[in-house]
Structures are given as C-alpha cells and as structure tokens.
Amino acid sequence: MKILRIDSSAQTDGAHSRVLMDTFISKLGNVATVVERDLTESLPHVDAEWVAANNTAADDRSLEQNAKLSVSNALIDELEAADTLLIGLPIYNFGVPAALKAWIDQVCRAHRTFAYSQNGPVGLLEGKRAIVVYVSGGTPIGSDIDFASNYIRHIMGFIGITDVTFVAADKHMMDDTALLRATDEIKALANKLS
C-alpha cells in the first residue's frame, strides 16, 4: 500500500489530527510505504501567472511557466503514485485550513487530475481511496455549520477519488469521549487494511 499523508494542522506538536494519523500509520506496520506532505511548509498560492502557465499547452510553455507549475507537478506526482490518501482535516472557523485549500488549488488541474467532457468534469485519479481525519473542537461533522467535510468529499470526487472514509473526532472540546472513539475507529480501520 502506498499512502500519501497530508498534514494540514498549523500545530506540529500534539495536534489531534496528527496524533490520530500517527496511530493509523503505526497500526499498519510494514504493509505501507508512506510519503509525508506537511502543509505547514507553505505552498505558493495560485496567481495570474500560474493560471496562464496552466492554460498554455505543455509543449508551448516557457521555462518560466514550467517553473511556475513545478510545485503543482510535484504534488500531483505524489497523488498519482499513491493508492491511499490520509488527510488530516482540522476544522478552522467551520472550514478547511488555508494550507489545505492551497494544496487543493495546486492539485485540481485540468488535463492532470480532471478533464472536461460533454457531460462535465471527469476525475482522472480513479481507483484510489481517501481517509479523512476530521477534528473539530465544536463543529459536528455533517452539520449545517460544517463547511469542510462535504467540500473535501466533493473535491476528492472531482479528481476521481470516490472511495472516501471519514474518521471524526468532532466536538472534542465538548465531548470527552470524541478522541477515544476516533482512536478506536482509526485503529480498527488500520487493522482492516493491514
């Protein structure tokens, strides 16, 4: 199993999403190869030059345009090589962290991760799985104030990943058992996959 681990918590030590993902990886043991992408190491934001480079045919891009897309290409290469994505999703102000949004903007690329057809966009990364570790202090997953889980599910489907599992440690600041339940769930999921 080839796992792409995506950490998006601004906290590097003790973040609940990171601890839960550590638990998942350790439970898998040697059955998985893990590539780690820590989004606290800032990614460039999409800008006008990036859009122009992306909208230029690959064979016609200048050296500067290729350089502009180099981070995006590396991120997409990681996605293509993985069969399982493990995404840490801490909820910030009812949505995804800015660092995760920057990653999404870099990897959602026409002709690389999706294509346009007569019936609309078609995801090109089929046959992969995503496991999303959803952590919130007070936002219930799937509630009217959760603007992250449906968004992530949609983005995964948009690029072709329709097998999406959420492990939720939601409302952990209001429910002392939320983290324990999520830990049990992530361990059971790892045991099932190993």
Side-chain angles (χ1 to χ4, degrees):
M1 182 184 322
K2 295 178 182 175
I3 296 176
L4 173 59
R5 174 181 172 157
I6 302 165
D7 285 291
S8 65
S9 176
Q11 292 180 281
T12 54
D13 295 325
H16 297 305
S17 61
R18 291 175 188 267
V19 170
L20 287 166
M21 291 196 301
D22 287 344
T23 300
F24 180 80
I25 297 296
S26 68
K27 276 295 200 186
L28 284 177
N30 295 329
V31 302
T33 302
V34 181
V35 171
E36 297 183 6
R37 174 58 68 174
D38 190 337
L39 300 181
T40 58
E41 300 166 12
S42 296
L43 295 176
H45 291 280
V46 168
D47 58 17
E49 292 172 355
W50 188 99
V51 172
N54 190 48
N55 288 335
T56 301
D59 292 342
D60 296 333
R61 288 184 189 133
S62 67
L63 291 175
E64 292 81 13
Q65 288 177 317
N66 283 325
K68 192 68 175 178
L69 294 176
S70 63
V71 170
S72 175
N73 287 332
L75 296 173
I76 293 170
D77 289 346
E78 289 175 350
L79 263 175
E80 290 173 338
D83 52 53
T84 300
L85 277 68
L86 179 62
I87 302 172
L89 177 59
I91 303 306
Y92 291 179
N93 301 312
F94 313 104
V96 302
L100 184 56
K101 179 62 168 75
W103 179 84
I104 289 167
D105 290 344
Q106 290 288 341
V107 301
C108 289
R109 265 184 57 200
H111 314 297
R112 284 292 311 266
T113 58
F114 73 94
Y116 290 108
S117 73
Q118 291 179 337
N119 298 322
V122 176
L124 301 177
L125 300 179
E126 296 177 332
K128 299 179 186 299
R129 165 193 312 123
I131 299 167
V132 182
V133 178
Y134 179 104
V135 178
S136 73
T139 303
I141 189 169
S143 69
D144 290 343
I145 60 172
D146 166 19
F147 300 103
S149 63
N150 283 336
Y151 174 69
I152 291 297
R153 186 180 301 280
H154 177 79
I155 289 296
M156 292 294 104
F158 180 68
I159 61 176
I161 303 169
T162 56
D163 182 356
V164 180
T165 301
F166 283 85
V167 174
D170 58 336
K171 304 183 296 177
H172 70 80
M173 295 184 91
M174 302 173 346
D175 179 355
D176 293 340
T177 64
L179 290 167
L180 294 173
R181 283 195 315 269
T183 301
D184 289 344
E185 189 176 340
I186 202 90
K187 286 178 180 177
L189 185 57
N191 286 335
K192 182 178 170 185
L193 296 177
S194 60

